Amino acid sequence: MPNPETAALFSPVSLGAIELRNRIVMAPLTRSRADTAGVPSEHAARYYADRAAGAGLVIAEATQISFGAQGYCRTPGAHTTEQMAAWRKVVEAVHARGGKIVLQIWHCGRATAHLNRQPGTEAVGPSAVHQGGQMYTDQQGMQPHDMPRALTTSEIGQIVTDFADTAARAVEAGFDGVEIHSANGYLLHQFLSTNANLRTDQYGGSITNRMRFPLEIVEAVTARIGAERTGIRISPGHTFNELEEADTFDLYRRYIPALDGFKLAYLHVMRAFSNELPYDGASLARGLYSGRMIACGGYDGASGAALLAAGGADAVAFGRAFISNPDLVERIRTGAALTEPNQATFYTPGPAGYIDYPSLAA
Ligand SMILES: Cc1cc2nc3c(=O)[nH]c(=O)nc-3n(C[C@H](O)[C@H](O)[C@H](O)COP(=O)(O)O)c2cc1C
C-alpha cells in the first residue's frame, strides 16, 4: 500500500532535458571501489542499476577530471579510455532498468594526499594554504594532507578545459548529464572560500573574483554539453575540509543568481547550518534561484515529502539511506523499515557493503 505521507515524492519532474519518473534522487556517494588507475569496479554496474531501477535520478559518485584532480584512494576518473569503457557499462545497466544517471565531476584541489594520486601529479589549490587534519591512504593509513601549490592562471584555464572535456566524455558514454562539484570543500569551493583562497589576481579577493573560476567552469561545461544537461552542487556554509566563507550570505546571494543565469538542469544544495545563516542553505538557495532545485542532507521520506509539499525544492536527494537500501524508493513508497548502513564498509574495496544489501523482494 502506498504511504500517503510520502506521496509528494512520487510525481514526475523534468530537470532540464532529464525526465525523472519521481522526485527521489540518489545523492553522489564516494565508495572507493575503483582500482588505482581510477577504473570503476566490475560491481559498479549492478550497484548503480539496482538503485536506479527505482530512483528518479542517480547522481554517480564524485569522479576525477584528471589524475591530478584525485584526492582520495580508489576513486574513479572519467579521463582515460579504460575508465570510460567501465562507465559505459554502468550507464547501459542503468538505462536497461529505465533509470537516469548523471556523473558528478570533481577536482579535489588541496584535499589530497600524494599516496592517493598517481606519481608525477602535484597537490594544487587556489593558494599555498595547507589543510589541517589527515586523510586515509591504503599504503600508510591516516596521513597529513599535502601542502598545495597555488595554481597559475594558465593551469586554471587547463582545469576549466578538463571539466568541459570530461563532461563531453560523460555524455558521449551515455550519461544523461553531469553535476559539477562546487561543494564540500573541494577545488571550486576552495576558490569560493576566504581561507583557502588568498589570491591577489582576478581569481581572489572580492566575491566577483572568487566566483570567477567556478563560473568559468559552468560556462565551459554548458557550452560543450548544453545547460539542460548540466547540474551543479553547492553547500553554502558547509565547513567540511576546513573551509571558511567569512561572508556566506553575501557570497551565495551573488553566486546562486549567477548560476541561475545559465538556465541549468538543476541546482543541488547540500544543506548545512552555519553561524552565518539564520536558516539552512537549501532555504537560502530556494529564494535566490528560479530553476529546478534538489535539496539534500538528513531527509527521510516524510521530511523530504513535506519539503516538496511546502515548495522548498523540486526533488530530494538521499545519501546514506541509498547505500544500505537498494530498493529505497519502494520502501519509501510503502513505508517499510530501512536497513541501517554499515559505516565500516563505506570506503572498503570489494563487493561487501556495496552490492550485498538486501532488497525487500529478496
Ligand atoms: C559515504 C559517503 C560518500 C559521499 N560522497 C560524496 C560525493 O562523492 N560527492 C558529494 O557531493 N557528496 C558526497 N557525500 C555527501 C552525500 O551526497 C550527502 O550529501 C550526505 O550523505 C547527506 O545526505 P544524507 O543525510 O541523505 O546521507 C557522501 C556522503 C557519504 C556518507
Side-chain angles (χ1 to χ4, degrees):
M1 273 287 290
N3 173 9
E5 238 195 344
T6 57
L9 289 162
F10 288 89
S11 60
V13 64
S14 50
L15 306 180
I18 313 164
E19 310 224 327
L20 281 59
R21 62 185 148 206
N22 61 51
R23 294 165 187 254
I24 298 176
V25 174
M26 178 175 167
L29 293 159
T30 292
R31 303 304 312 278
S32 291
R33 258 70 179 185
D35 68 16
T36 51
V39 179
S41 126
E42 55 173 324
H43 303 298
R46 172 161 168 215
Y47 165 76
Y48 279 116
D50 282 353
R51 288 154 181 80
L57 175 68
V58 166
I59 303 168
E61 68 210 78
T63 296
Q64 288 102 234
I65 57 163
S66 63
F67 281 125
Q70 186 162 5
Y72 298 88
C73 58
R74 291 177 273 104
T75 52
H79 53 89
T80 72
T81 309
E82 294 74 22
Q83 292 163 357
M84 295 320 296
W87 278 124
R88 198 176 283 275
K89 288 186 194 159
V90 170
V91 170
E92 284 168 3
V94 164
H95 287 162
R97 304 279 288 275
K100 298 283 162 74
I101 184 166
V102 300
L103 184 67
Q104 191 184 51
I105 55 177
W106 192 34
H107 193 305
C108 289
R110 69 176 190 164
T112 186
H114 58 276
L115 289 171
N116 291 339
R117 294 192 315 273
Q118 296 282 323
T121 57
E122 277 181 286
V124 292
S127 304
V129 179
H130 188 241
Q131 178 179 334
Q134 297 188 317
M135 79 193 314
Y136 176 80
T137 68
D138 275 333
Q139 299 89 335
Q140 295 178 31
M142 297 305 286
Q143 290 293 309
H145 294 103
D146 288 354
M147 179 68 187
R149 178 174 64 67
L151 287 161
T152 65
T153 42
S154 75
E155 288 172 324
I156 288 173
Q158 182 60 50
I159 292 174
V160 171
T161 303
D162 290 345
F163 267 97
D165 290 347
T166 304
R169 279 189 295 270
V171 168
E172 208 273 320
F175 280 99
D176 297 289
V178 301
E179 175 174 291
I180 298 167
H181 199 339
S182 178
N184 302 354
Y186 300 107
L187 187 63
L188 279 70
H189 200 188
Q190 290 162 23
F191 269 85
L192 293 171
S193 81
T194 43
N195 68 334
N197 182 353
L198 306 181
R199 299 178 74 94
T200 53
D201 65 0
Q202 70 270 36
Y203 292 101
S206 66
I207 287 175
T208 302
N209 285 352
R210 283 152 51 207
M211 301 191 307
R212 191 179 306 280
F213 170 64
L215 292 177
E216 284 178 356
I217 290 170
V218 175
E219 190 169 0
V221 168
T222 55
R224 193 71 73 83
I225 66 164
E228 70 285 359
R229 297 202 175 278
T230 305
I232 190 163
R233 189 174 223 214
I234 59 170
S235 54
H238 200 0
T239 55
F240 189 62
N241 279 317
E242 294 214 328
L243 264 226
E244 274 171 37
E245 301 150 346
D247 50 6
T248 300
F249 187 64
D250 291 336
L251 170 64
Y252 286 91
R253 222 166 33 167
R254 297 274 310 283
Y255 189 41
I256 293 169
L259 295 173
D260 202 11
F262 286 96
K263 304 282 172 248
L264 300 173
Y266 66 85
L267 174 70
H268 183 181
V269 186
M270 159 79 195
R271 66 173 175 164
F273 294 86
S274 81
N275 297 334
E276 258 283 313
L277 296 176
Y279 35 72
D280 72 67
S283 318
L284 170 74
R286 191 61 163 175
L288 294 167
Y289 194 75
S290 71
R292 299 284 196 217
M293 198 184 110
I294 304 172
C296 182
Y299 294 101
D300 61 13
S303 61
L307 180 78
L308 296 187
D314 300 293
V316 181
F318 299 86
R320 288 159 293 179
F322 256 120
I323 291 178
S324 49
N325 298 276
D327 56 348
L328 178 65
V329 174
E330 187 56 15
R331 292 185 197 226
I332 291 176
R333 197 178 70 80
T334 58
L338 302 187
T339 304
E340 284 300 314
N342 177 7
Q343 288 194 31
T345 52
F346 274 3
Y347 306 112
T348 45
Y354 191 52
I355 52 167
D356 55 359
Y357 284 106
S359 62
L360 289 173

